[in-house]
Amino acid sequence: MRVEKAGRDDWRPIADTLADAFTNDPVMSWLIPNGSRRPAALRRFFAIEAQAVALPRNACLVASTAAGVVGAMLVLPPDKWRTPFSVEARNLVGFGQAFGRRLGHAFGLLTILEHEHIREPHYYLPFIGVRDGVRGEGVGSAMLKSLVARCDAERASAYLEATSPDNARLYRRHGFVTRKVVRPLGSPPIELMLRRPS
């Protein structure tokens, strides 16, 4: 397995990987309660997030084997963590197709998380995911090690929102500390986690 910086053309395997990883995520299951449409909806959502938001910032990571991409980490560099309104507006139809009647909940959740977001310079990791078939084999840890090494070299903090207890445990092993637990609009608990450079 190798971990490397993602290129702009990697958006499709990134979207597929993250959709697979988040199919049973508590928060995504709350936002897209119809399990039969969730995989396709997540692929649409993560395609937008990868193509329009994260990959243009040139900091995302992918983990690959001979079989292809098995892990993906969307990364936004310091002072680039907000999604520009122009990007949201251009992709409103795609977001609507992804979240359907729950689009208001999705944007409401995003607004609350943005309000809680730290304001100091940091790397923001909005989504980290590993394909179901290789979960537990160190793929997530390999991507996190690469990112935290970059943060330590640059003396930069890293910030993320953990949407499941299992994910939060993984992040704690890599130095992240829970600042606060929130439940926006009645969602499942989300841990807001920060890692300072060591």
Side-chain angles (χ1 to χ4, degrees), residues 20-34:
D20 183 70
F22 279 85
T23 295
N24 296 310
D25 175 79
V27 174
M28 287 302 185
S29 297
W30 174 77
L31 283 173
I32 309 171
N34 184 332

Side-chain angles (χ1 to χ4, degrees), residues 2-77:
R2 67 185 186 278
V3 175
E4 59 193 354
K5 187 180 285 188
R8 288 201 180 201
D9 292 340
D10 290 325
W11 69 268
R12 196 182 306 276
I14 288 173
D16 289 344
T17 297
L18 291 175
D20 183 70
F22 279 85
T23 295
N24 296 310
D25 175 79
V27 174
M28 287 302 185
S29 297
W30 174 77
L31 283 173
I32 309 171
N34 184 332
S36 63
R37 70 173 293 271
R38 192 180 305 133
L42 287 174
R43 278 193 298 276
R44 186 179 300 277
F45 170 68
F46 285 120
I48 295 170
E49 289 292 306
Q51 275 188 296
V53 180
L55 286 172
R57 305 298 190 196
N58 198 34
C60 299
L61 297 174
V62 289
S64 304
T65 66
V69 173
V70 294
M73 177 186 290
L74 300 188
V75 182
L76 300 174

Side-chain angles (χ1 to χ4, degrees), residues 82-191:
R82 286 184 188 272
T83 301
F85 177 75
S86 60
V87 171
E88 291 181 358
R90 273 198 312 273
N91 291 284
L92 187 58
V93 171
F95 286 132
Q97 291 170 336
F99 294 108
R101 296 178 185 170
R102 302 283 284 179
L103 181 62
H105 284 76
F107 277 124
L109 184 146
L110 176 64
T111 299
I112 292 167
L113 291 180
E114 282 193 354
H115 177 74
E116 296 285 351
H117 203 109
I118 63 171
R119 296 305 194 257
E120 67 185 73
H122 63 282
Y123 280 91
Y124 176 41
L125 289 58
F127 297 103
I128 304 167
V130 175
R131 284 192 177 272
D132 188 46
V134 295
R135 217 164 282 149
E137 296 181 13
V139 177
S141 284
M143 292 188 295
L144 283 164
K145 284 178 186 174
S146 179
L147 188 279
V148 300
R150 182 192 311 174
C151 289
D152 288 347
E154 297 178 16
R155 306 299 302 156
S157 296
Y159 178 82
L160 54 79
E161 296 110 357
T163 55
S164 79
D166 286 342
N167 293 347
R169 280 191 288 274
L170 171 64
Y171 304 145
R172 280 191 201 94
R173 291 201 301 270
H174 292 273
F176 285 84
V177 175
T178 299
R179 297 177 64 245
K180 188 175 184 179
V181 178
V182 296
R183 295 171 175 81
L185 305 177
S187 78
I190 301 171
E191 294 189 44

